[in-house]
Amino acid sequence: MFVELNNLLNTTPDRAEQGKLTLLCDAKTDGSFLVHHFLSFYLKANCKVCFVALFQSFSHYNIVGQKLGVNLTVARERGQLVFLEGLKSAVDVFFQTQEEPHPLQFLREANAGNLKPLFEFVREALKPVDSGEARWTYPVLLVDDLSVLLSLGMGAVAVLDFIHYCRATVCWELKGNMVILVHDSGDVEDEENDILLNGVSHQSHLILRAEGLATGFCRDVHGQLRILWRRPSQPTAQRDQSLTYQYKIQDKSVSFFAKGMSPAVL
Amino acid sequence: VTLSEGARAGIGRELGMLDSLLSLGGLVLLRDSVEWEGRSLLKALVKKSALCGEQVHILGCEVSEEEFREGFDSDINNRLVYHDFFRDPLNWSKTEEALPGGPLGALRAICKRTDPGPVTIALDSLSWLLLHLPCTTLCQALHAVSHQDACPGDSSPVGKVSVLGLLHEELHGPGPVGALSSLAQTEVTLGGTKGQASAHILCRRPRQRPTDQTQWFSILPDFSLDLQEGPSVESQPYSDPHIPPVDPTTHLTFNLHLSKKEREAKDSLILPFQFSSEKQQALLRPRPGQATSHIFYEPDAYDDLDQEDPDDDLDI
């Protein structure tokens, strides 16, 4: 996890809020560093994590995770991490006989209406186990990323329903957290992605938006991060809840600074 | 329009249009966006209805019952009837708990009620209904609900029905939003600047010109409405009267100003491609004393002085 980002969000693994949905979105840049941050953050917070990883392979997340101080293989063996490797299990749908529906069952069906099997996989993975002692603090669902489901043929409303059901189960029933990544293509023609992004935005408590710089690629400033807090439990008189920072990604950390204050420029 | 309604509307006009939204009845559309959310305003209007003694029904599709009831004190909560479509709206758990008929069935059931008092129905949210139901079905149901008290030939007097619908503007195209907008008696669009929220209220009274007004407001922690004059001056960081504006051209190494003579010369300059009368005369009159131009050519040692024109063989 990136300590500077924790400071900006005013949170630490010990005292993170529960029952919150965080939306990560990226426009004209790669926002996956935020996914790695939250994955290592919640593993360090001793949470039970269900990671629906549709974009990269397990070894990719493992390599980056080791740079950030978490070992995904060990976490998976301990039962702390339930990892759905989309790239590998998508093939299993076709080449293995399954008794119960596979989480990615919609790939097989011509007119898959909904993502109910995927939701049931998540619910099964995160349901509290009656083992007597509470091993993990609270459950967390991480999805990387949701736009892949649109590319695979699901409609935006079906994906929004999946997020709704996950929110009802993970955030409300189990008092856990959710972190979802959605790409913002910025393409005017992609209405389904816009509906998905806006629909999840309306449901989220915190939106982290990584944007490329308007002026193009820069060696010392990789992008801009906009932080928007929404849906406070009590309405506040002042609505000043949006911050913007610029960042530079290094090998094992990300440094944040105010706009125009990059150390390379000063 | 009964006497009490007219009096209520008159008092409402003094308080501001935001306070009197509910006195008109019909469909009130609350249009919000990601940056300016509308659920707190919806809750504030629900609280106002409950305090007026009306029966309030909430079709909750987007947030849990606990989250919606949070912030209300117990006497308001006792007046709210929450129809839960959050936990399992599509009946994925296949239990018998699902409310029959879905949200529209619940809506119709509320309207078939027997007691004649005024009722407020809050739809949280209209966007969820619009994404899951055909637009025409939803519009027909809303029309039937909000125009119920105008139905003739009904033996039992039915009270006024107000429907508050929360609509997330970015999720829908102009067609469905336009259809809902034409059904609505009042439209409230949320916006704001720099930490201060505003509501643009468009009101369509029957047989009157539509009126609109922008009202700055904030919602207090107990969900009561606090109407305000406008964004406060201190919150604008640019207009600080103590620091004089800095002239950026003072310390430059090059000169950006023109002296009087330079400015006169600049103004009297004729642009090369501007066709003025002097230029026209110059072109028409042959220039006397213009010597024919000469070309002086010193050939190099290795120059090819072939007099033959290489283009001679071109048949043009």
Side-chain angles (χ1 to χ4, degrees), chain A residues 120-158:
Chain A
E120 287 182 342
F121 169 82
V122 169
R123 191 182 55 185
E124 197 58 37
L126 290 178
K127 74 171 182 211
V129 180
D130 255 348
S131 63
E133 37 145 306
R135 283 186 77 186
W136 318 116
T137 44
Y138 51 88
V140 171
L141 169 65
L142 198 54
V143 180
D144 178 20
D145 64 69
L146 221 49
S147 310
V148 169
L149 293 172
L150 286 184
S151 314
L152 290 174
M154 295 307 298
V157 180

Side-chain angles (χ1 to χ4, degrees), chain B:
Chain B
V1 175
T2 64
L3 187 62
S4 59
E5 256 185 59
R8 206 157 18 135
I11 295 167
R13 226 168 279 129
E14 284 168 12
L15 289 175
M17 287 169 80
L18 196 57
D19 277 334
S20 65
L21 277 180
L22 299 166
S23 59
L24 289 172
L27 174 62
V28 177
L29 212 57
L30 291 179
R31 298 166 68 148
D32 74 345
S33 56
V34 172
E35 215 187 316
W36 299 99
E37 58 93 23
R39 189 163 288 112
S40 1
L41 182 59
L42 179 71
K43 285 173 78 163
L45 293 173
V46 159
K47 173 176 169 167
K48 199 186 274 292
S49 290
L51 288 176
C52 287
E54 295 186 13
Q55 209 186 64
V56 184
H57 292 262
I58 296 147
L59 255 66
C61 313
E62 282 194 354
V63 295
S64 64
E65 185 170 353
E66 284 137 11
E67 192 178 332
F68 197 89
R69 287 184 186 272
E70 197 179 334
F72 289 146
D73 38 351
S74 54
D75 54 340
I76 297 176
N77 267 325
N78 290 336
R79 292 186 173 279
L80 302 186
V81 179
Y82 193 88
H83 304 261
D84 192 348
F85 291 98
F86 169 73
R87 252 181 321 144
D88 193 5
L90 306 172
N91 201 19
W92 280 4
S93 60
K94 293 273 188 290
T95 60
E96 297 310 310
E97 288 175 15
L99 299 165
L104 285 189
L107 198 57
R108 293 189 198 107
I110 296 169
C111 297
K112 283 198 183 63
R113 74 207 186 285
T114 48
D115 56 334
V119 123
T120 298
I121 306 174
L123 302 174
D124 179 13
S125 64
L126 205 45
S127 282
W128 193 94
L129 296 174
L130 199 52
L131 287 176
H132 290 85
L133 300 167
C135 183
T136 48
T137 315
L138 180 61
C139 288
Q140 284 164 0
L142 284 175
H143 182 89
V145 164
S146 51
H147 286 73
Q148 199 190 18
D149 46 337
C151 176
D154 203 351
S155 55
S156 60
V158 179
K160 172 177 68 70
V161 178
S162 300
V163 180
L164 299 169
L166 182 62
L167 189 71
H168 306 308
E169 284 197 298
E170 308 106 327
L171 294 180
H172 312 287
V177 173
L180 286 173
S181 164
S182 63
L183 274 180
Q185 267 70 50
T186 316
E187 269 180 67
V188 181
T189 307
L190 286 142
T193 62
K194 280 199 192 320
Q196 185 70 34
S198 74
H200 178 249
I201 307 159
L202 177 66
C203 207
R204 293 190 196 95
R205 276 174 241 247
R207 294 183 296 277
Q208 279 183 34
R209 207 162 46 100
T211 51
D212 71 329
Q213 183 198 35
T214 301
Q215 175 74 57
W216 299 89
F217 70 98
S218 71
I219 312 257
L220 302 174
D222 65 346
F223 289 103
S224 38
L225 265 179
D226 181 25
L227 303 177
Q228 278 155 2
E229 287 308 313
S232 50
V233 184
E234 299 92 57
S235 66
Q236 291 173 18
Y238 304 118
S239 61
D240 194 337
H242 300 295
I243 301 174
V246 176
D247 183 14
T249 59
T250 39
H251 299 297
L252 293 173
T253 53
F254 48 89
N255 184 21
L256 278 179
H257 301 288
L258 292 173
S259 71
K260 192 158 168 287
K261 227 170 96 175
E262 286 168 342
R263 195 178 291 279
E264 278 170 11
K266 181 183 167 211
D267 287 336
S268 58
L269 181 67
I270 300 175
L271 296 173
F273 297 105
Q274 202 163 349
F275 197 66
S276 59
S277 57
E278 291 97 358
K279 195 150 184 177
Q280 189 181 25
Q281 293 306 312
L283 286 174
L284 290 175
R285 205 182 325 131
R287 300 252 297 262
Q290 186 187 8
T292 55
S293 49
H294 285 284
I295 298 174
F296 297 96
Y297 175 57
E298 298 281 346
D300 288 333
Y302 45 82
D303 258 340
D304 185 13
L305 283 175
D306 191 1
Q307 299 295 334
E308 196 178 279
D309 187 355
D311 292 328
D312 259 350
D313 57 347
L314 286 176
D315 189 13
I316 297 172

Side-chain angles (χ1 to χ4, degrees), chain A residues 28 31 53 93 110 124 133 160 181 193 198 207-208 234 238 254:
Chain A
K28 292 197 192 129
V93 177
E124 197 58 37
E133 37 145 306
L160 284 176
L181 177 69
N193 199 45
N198 288 320
I207 302 180
L208 296 179
Q234 293 286 342
Q238 265 295 80
V254 176

Side-chain angles (χ1 to χ4, degrees), chain A residues 56-121:
Chain A
Q56 299 277 14
S57 64
F58 178 80
S59 48
H60 173 91
Y61 294 107
N62 201 12
I63 291 169
V64 180
Q66 277 168 4
K67 286 190 198 171
L68 299 181
V70 287
N71 190 328
L72 297 191
T73 320
V74 167
R76 192 161 62 167
E77 280 161 17
R78 282 197 315 164
Q80 189 188 9
L81 173 66
V82 177
F83 197 94
L84 175 66
E85 190 172 352
L87 293 170
K88 212 166 71 162
S89 63
V91 183
D92 290 343
V93 177
F94 295 98
F95 294 121
Q96 284 186 14
T97 51
Q98 303 273 336
E99 291 80 27
E100 70 277 353
H102 191 277
L104 301 179
Q105 187 68 26
F106 64 91
L107 291 172
R108 253 204 111 101
E109 293 161 16
N111 293 327
N114 57 41
L115 288 166
K116 188 166 159 208
L118 188 58
F119 162 67
E120 287 182 342
F121 169 82

